[in-house]
């Protein structure tokens, strides 16, 4: 990471820092809508906005490789798999009361605690560190790729299992739903067959009982 001299403070931000703050606010708002909306498809679309905002933040921090990985993997793969999962599992398109678990206060407490811990750790670790946004990109594709495939190959491959797990989960859920639907249809068809047979038996019995009367009349 390139360190720049602290020639300015928080009261004299640069244009890049102002843009970083504005994009962060937009991303935060999109994240709130993602977890509060009751429409699953809208939540997935707002998640695209949230992940896209994070990619812009990475670009502003001169981490271009991480930004494009964010777009290609999370926006282009995870969200697409999420949408396919919604379609394959026949999730409701409109407002769904099942999307609200009723544990909003517990979720809010956990989110605030995790955010406070993350902010405290980052501030404590990088309190006196400044990134030279006007200098060469510290997170360029070349630098990050060399570090990634030399020192972090195993974690990188382990993260790729996430996409496979999401795809397998969607297939399993869709096959289970299809099997249940087929079983329901088979049961309904068997009930109709039994009903038809019972009606036919009653009709035959009634016809048989009526034949001796007809013979007597003759």
């Amino acid at each position: 990471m390139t360190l720049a001299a602290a020639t300015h403070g928080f009261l004299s931000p640069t244009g890049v820092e102002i843009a970083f703050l504005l994009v962060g606010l937009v991303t935060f708002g999109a994240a709130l809508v993602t977890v509060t909306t009751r429409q699953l498809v809208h939540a997935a679309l707002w998640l695209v906005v949230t992940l896209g905002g994070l990619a812009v933040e990475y670009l502003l921090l001169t981490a271009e490789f991480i930004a494009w990985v964010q777009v290609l993997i999370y926006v282009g793969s995870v969200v697409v798999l999420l949408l396919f999962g919604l379609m394959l599992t026949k999730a409701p398109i409109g407002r769904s009361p099942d999307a609200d678990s009723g544990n909003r206060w517990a979720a809010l407490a956990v989110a605030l605690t995790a955010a406070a811990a993350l902010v405290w750790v980052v501030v404590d670790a990088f309190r006196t560190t400044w990134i030279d946004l006007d200098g060469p990109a510290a997170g360029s594709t070349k630098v990050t790729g060399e570090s990634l495939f030399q020192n972090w190959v195993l974690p990188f491959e382990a993260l790729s299992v996430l996409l496979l797990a999401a795809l397998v989960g969607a297939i399993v859920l869709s096959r289970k739903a299809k099997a249940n639907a087929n079983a329901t249809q088979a049961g309904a068809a068997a009930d109709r067959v039994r009903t038809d047979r019972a009606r036919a038996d009653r009709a035959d019995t009634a016809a048989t009982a009526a034949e001796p009367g007809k013979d007597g009349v003759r």
Side-chain angles (χ1 to χ4, degrees):
M1 178 179 295
T2 304
L3 302 181
T7 57
H8 61 276
F10 292 102
L11 298 180
S12 58
T14 62
V16 176
E17 292 172 347
I18 294 175
F20 183 88
L21 177 60
L22 294 178
V23 174
L25 292 176
V26 173
T27 304
F28 180 74
L32 285 181
V33 177
T34 301
V35 299
T36 55
T37 183
R38 293 188 178 183
Q39 298 191 10
L40 298 180
V41 177
H42 289 183
L45 296 178
W46 280 109
L47 181 61
V48 173
V49 178
T50 304
L51 298 176
L54 290 177
V56 174
E57 298 284 57
Y58 289 134
L59 281 178
L60 293 175
L61 291 175
T62 69
E64 60 180 35
F65 177 80
I66 304 300
W68 294 120
V69 167
Q70 177 82 9
V71 172
L72 294 176
I73 294 181
Y74 287 94
V75 178
S77 300
V78 172
V79 175
V80 172
L81 286 177
L82 178 61
L83 292 175
F84 270 102
L86 293 177
M87 291 186 292
L88 292 175
T89 56
K90 297 181 180 179
I93 301 299
R95 296 178 63 86
S96 175
D98 297 335
D100 189 2
S101 64
N103 298 322
R104 289 188 175 184
W105 293 110
L108 179 62
V110 172
L112 292 177
T113 302
L118 181 61
V119 170
W120 181 80
V121 170
V122 172
V123 171
D124 184 68
F126 302 99
R127 186 184 303 273
T128 58
T129 302
W130 293 84
I131 300 176
D132 187 6
L133 300 179
D134 297 326
S140 63
T141 304
K142 179 180 179 181
V143 175
T144 307
E146 291 177 352
S147 175
L148 183 65
F149 290 102
Q150 288 179 359
N151 305 320
W152 304 97
V153 176
L154 184 59
F156 181 77
E157 293 297 332
L159 287 177
S160 64
V161 180
L162 174 64
L163 301 177
L164 178 61
L167 180 60
V168 172
I171 294 174
V172 170
L173 291 176
S174 64
R175 291 178 63 88
K176 182 178 180 181
K178 185 177 180 180
N180 293 335
N182 292 336
T184 303
Q185 293 176 359
D191 292 338
R192 287 195 298 269
V193 171
R194 285 193 294 268
T195 302
D196 294 339
R197 287 181 178 177
R199 290 177 180 176
D201 292 341
R202 287 195 298 269
D204 292 341
T205 303
T208 303
E211 286 179 357
K214 293 180 179 179
D215 295 338
V217 172
R218 295 192 188 93

